[in-house]
Amino acid sequence: MPTRKILGRALALTALAALPAAVLTAPSPAAATVAVAPQAAEAVAAPVSFVDLPATPLPSDHTAHRIAVTYRNPTAADRTIAPQVLLVSPDRGSFLAPADVKLEILTGGHWKTVPLGSQTGTLFTDLGPAKLVLHSHHTLTQYYRLTVLKAAAGTVQPRVALYG
C-alpha cells in the first residue's frame, strides 16, 4: 500500500512539472486590466446625446399601431446610433408595466417582440441590441408596432441615441 501512495504522488508531481509556468502563476493585475479595459469601455459606452422625435399619446384602442423612428445622418462621417422607444407614464396615476403593452420591431420582414425595461414609470427599449452604424448622409427608418393590452394613459416618445 505505501508503494501506491508514493506512485500517486510521483504521478501528480510529474503532471505538475509538465504544465507550462503560465498555468501555475496567478495573472498580474496589470495584465488583467489591459485585457478587460476594452471590453469594459464598450459595455458602458453611453450615448453622447439624443435626438427626440415627435411624441404622441399612448393609443388606448387595443389595436396595433405602427411607430416609425426615422433619423438621417447629416454628418460627413459614419455614426453609431441606436433607435429607442420610450413609453412614459403620466405624472399622476398608475405607472405603465411591461405587461400593459406589446411592442414589436420589424426585422427581416417579420415582427419580433421587443423586451421592455422599466424605470420610474417609463418603459423603454434597450439601446445595446439596437446599435448600428449609419453611413454618412444615409437615413434609417425603423418600424415598431405597439399594441396596448391594458388601458392606460401615457405618451409614446421615440428617439435616437447618438454615440461619439
Side-chain angles (χ1 to χ4, degrees), residues 32-124:
T33 303
V34 171
V36 175
Q39 294 170 355
E42 282 181 22
V44 296
V48 294
S49 65
F50 289 93
V51 175
D52 292 323
L53 302 173
T56 58
L58 188 67
S60 60
D61 57 1
H62 304 292
T63 60
H65 293 268
R66 189 174 275 201
I67 301 167
V69 178
T70 302
Y71 176 75
R72 185 177 195 311
N73 180 2
T75 67
D78 292 354
R79 181 140 213 195
T80 301
I81 67 165
Q84 185 177 43
V85 175
L86 304 176
L87 303 173
V88 182
S89 298
D91 291 337
R92 295 185 181 164
S94 60
F95 285 160
L96 291 167
D100 295 343
V101 297
K102 180 179 181 183
L103 186 66
E104 300 166 291
I105 188 169
L106 185 62
T107 55
H110 301 284
W111 291 104
K112 179 183 169 196
T113 300
V114 177
L116 294 171
S118 178
Q119 184 175 5
T120 325
T122 299
L123 304 180
F124 57 89

Side-chain angles (χ1 to χ4, degrees), residues 119-143:
Q119 184 175 5
T120 325
T122 299
L123 304 180
F124 57 89
T125 57
D126 188 13
L127 290 173
K131 269 189 188 179
L132 57 95
V133 175
L134 187 59
H135 296 296
S136 169
H137 303 291
H138 283 207
T139 301
L140 167 77
T141 300
Q142 182 66 63
Y143 293 103

